[in-house]
Amino acid sequence: MNNRFNDDAKEQVRSRTDIAAVIGRYVNLKGRGHTMMGLCPFHKEKTPSFTVNPLRGFYHCFGCGKGGDVFNFVMEMEGVDFREALTMLAGEAGVKLEGGGGGGRDSRYDGSWYGDAQYGDSGEPERGPPPGSSKATKTELLAIHGEAARFFYECMKKHGPAKDYFKSRGLLGQTVKDFCLGYAPDGWSGLHDCLRGKNIPLQRMIECGLVVGKESGAAYDRFRNRIIFPLFDLSGRIIAFAGRGFDADAQPKYLNSPETALYRKSGVLYGMHMARQAVRELGYLLIVEGYMDYLTLWQAGIRNAAAVSGTAFTEEHANIIKRFTQRVVLVFDGDRAGLSAAQRAAFVLAPFRLEVQILTLPGGDDPDSFVKRSGPEAFLSLLSTAQPAADFLIDKLISEHDGSSLGKSRIVDELAPYALAVSDEIVRNDFLKKVEQRLRLDRHLVADRYNKLASRPSAHAEGEAVGGAEKQAVLGALEESFFRILLTDPNLIVQARQYLSPEKFIDAPSANIYSIILEAFDQSSDLGGLHDLCSGDPEAMRLISMLAVKPALAENIRDELVQKILLLERKFLKARIAGLREDLRDCPESGRGRLLEELKDYGGRLRELG
């Protein structure tokens, strides 16, 4: 595309668009509240099975299986791509789309017209920017971000607890200064008043995502009582901010700038602007998860590192890495969540023909805690133990499954996304050989299974009829009920995750959906990020839409949750017991003792559940 849309526009359009009103132009919807129904526009039916949930912003047809958000609907109905669907909906929602790269104006912001603007009591400029510039240029937005960074930095210098926080994390004053770390004061208008005093219009503050505007005309600071981490582009310019809650109970713990004309969260690697030279010199890049992980490494003299920034690892991150190196080492936290994140990142990196290694830190450490306790030399020496991504994935899944035939089959299935994504034929063949050797399987069985998966036509291929009954069987009734409870009342996710992890689900689709729900909850307690987390996964989008359009009954919902947790735990234990019994049939006498002990343990846990 010659022009690039404002990256904030998608969310603006979604929030301002009534999905029921859009779909209502094509479908006669009946009902109100959470559930509206009508005849599906995508296939012929006599009984309505097409359902819309206006509150969650999803639609789903239980007959043909099609589902998604308002963009998916317009794309499907009008036969257009995402760009055209966004344009159509943006016009109706009153959202202006910004083009770039196609010869647009690129004036240098020097405050010349800001300085002339006069403000009334409302805080809005009495006259706007010069004709023809209803949207600020990137240069102007960058300048505003610079002013905001200075404000946060100066607030930090005056706020003793904020300075003490950085000291408690082991950061030197020079590091704080180099990365413009700061503090957003605990008030509603500190930054707003500062920027207004510099004659910056309110609309520009809103475009930057620094201030949140209300329909009434009022506005308030997005970041309040938060430690501030400025986010930089590859040229070292500040394009956004991440705010960590200063209080232990702050919700959410991390709050990022919204996506804007400057900032795409899926395309930023924190610290990459500082790491480029070291990466070229050393020949590899370290990827860590957190801002403090990165800053601790930097301060310790380990400069060839960058961190993912407020999102899961993405293809855009992979493309950035490929510009600077062919070798990357993922150094995620050593706990279960960190290992799962490393697995997802390895899957994303698989098609990019990069040398990918994964370092597992001992004892659940993260890079920040390990370096502070053991020093940078110990960390660098530990890099020699990093595993190739293929070995890490195989080891991880073997540790999560038993050695039964069913367990091996599940491992092969869970490795399928990686195997199918690897673009290099030699690398793929080597991977198949490793799977065969580690699982003691006939290589032809593994290769045949992956070849069948690779040749299977897409469920969303043009002109393909979708079998509704077959699709709905992907998730079991128990799992569907459990997920609907969480989507209906996200506050219950806190309780659910105490007892169930994604690994407790015995089928891959359910484990994936649960992981997405947990990730969306971590980003926002109202699950507002579900749409974007599913946007690159059509199958997940279909399943989430199916769940979202049919909420659970609110009556006795907590009791229902407890019941579903117990049933899912029983289902997990029964599956493990069945696998162990199958293993016992073929197990030599020398290995029966361990299996019998495991069987006794799982049997006891099952009896305790009643």
Side-chain angles (χ1 to χ4, degrees), residues 6-78:
N6 183 341
D7 295 325
D8 194 31
K10 181 178 179 181
E11 194 51 43
Q12 288 186 46
V13 171
R14 197 202 310 280
S15 64
R16 296 186 188 183
T17 300
D18 181 353
I19 188 173
V22 172
I23 293 177
R25 300 171 196 160
Y26 307 88
V27 179
N28 182 20
L29 295 173
K30 296 182 180 180
R32 63 180 60 185
H34 290 286
T35 303
M36 304 181 74
M37 297 190 68
L39 295 174
C40 180
F42 305 124
H43 80 289
K44 293 181 180 180
E45 63 177 6
K46 296 181 180 180
T47 303
S49 59
F50 184 86
T51 309
V52 179
N53 185 326
L55 298 180
R56 283 289 175 201
F58 285 99
Y59 71 90
H60 187 86
C61 176
F62 290 89
C64 68
K66 291 185 182 296
D69 62 6
V70 68
F71 298 106
N72 296 112
F73 183 85
V74 172
M75 290 162 65
E76 187 81 23
M77 283 300 301
E78 298 294 340

Side-chain angles (χ1 to χ4, degrees), residues 146-318:
E147 293 291 352
R150 279 188 284 274
F151 170 79
F152 292 137
Y153 181 74
E154 291 300 323
C155 287
M156 179 273 300
K157 288 166 61 177
K158 299 173 185 175
H159 191 259
K163 290 195 293 184
D164 291 340
Y165 170 82
F166 290 124
K167 291 178 182 178
S168 72
R169 298 305 301 265
L171 294 182
L172 302 174
Q174 189 60 47
T175 303
V176 172
K177 184 177 181 180
D178 288 343
F179 290 91
C180 305
L181 306 182
Y183 170 72
D186 189 10
W188 291 94
S189 62
L191 177 60
H192 169 274
D193 293 343
C194 171
L195 296 180
R196 179 181 173 182
K198 296 180 182 295
N199 293 323
I200 295 175
L202 175 61
Q203 184 57 37
R204 295 299 185 248
M205 304 180 206
I206 295 174
E207 286 179 49
C208 290
L210 299 170
V211 167
V212 179
K214 304 176 73 173
E215 291 185 2
S216 64
Y220 58 90
D221 289 355
R222 180 178 299 276
F223 300 102
R224 304 180 304 280
N225 194 29
R226 289 180 177 273
I227 294 296
I228 297 295
F229 298 85
L231 306 181
F232 304 82
D233 65 10
L234 291 174
S235 299
R237 300 173 299 185
I238 296 173
I239 56 174
F241 298 91
R244 183 191 189 280
F246 195 72
D247 296 329
D249 59 350
Q251 291 295 329
K253 181 178 179 181
Y254 276 98
L255 177 68
N256 274 37
S257 293
E259 297 200 344
T260 68
L262 298 177
Y263 172 58
R264 286 179 60 88
K265 65 180 180 181
S266 60
V268 172
L269 287 173
Y270 182 73
M272 193 66 204
H273 68 295
M274 300 288 261
R276 297 193 304 176
Q277 186 59 35
V279 169
R280 289 194 175 102
E281 292 173 358
L282 297 172
Y284 69 98
L285 172 67
L286 301 171
I287 293 292
V288 296
E289 283 191 283
Y291 304 112
M292 284 305 308
D293 290 329
Y294 168 81
L295 292 170
T296 297
L297 291 179
W298 170 268
Q299 190 169 272
I302 301 171
R303 303 296 171 85
N304 58 323
V308 289
S309 172
T311 182
F313 195 87
T314 68
E315 292 183 358
E316 289 184 65
H317 293 144

Side-chain angles (χ1 to χ4, degrees), residues 111-137:
S112 56
W113 59 266
Y114 285 145
D116 294 334
Q118 300 297 317
Y119 291 83
D121 294 336
S122 66
E124 296 283 0
E126 292 182 350
R127 70 176 181 82
S133 61
S134 60
K135 282 280 187 177
T137 65

Side-chain angles (χ1 to χ4, degrees), residues 394 412 415 431-439 446:
I394 295 170
V412 172
L415 288 171
F431 176 72
L432 295 177
K433 185 176 180 180
K434 287 181 178 180
V435 175
E436 169 238 332
Q437 291 175 342
R438 295 294 308 279
L439 299 181
V446 178

Side-chain angles (χ1 to χ4, degrees), residues 107-115 137 139-140 143:
S107 62
R108 181 70 58 178
Y109 168 67
D110 57 8
S112 56
W113 59 266
Y114 285 145
T137 65
T139 305
E140 292 163 349

Side-chain angles (χ1 to χ4, degrees), residues 456-471:
R456 182 180 297 172
S458 168
H460 299 272
E462 184 176 345
E464 179 180 344
V466 182
E470 179 182 346
K471 286 292 179 183

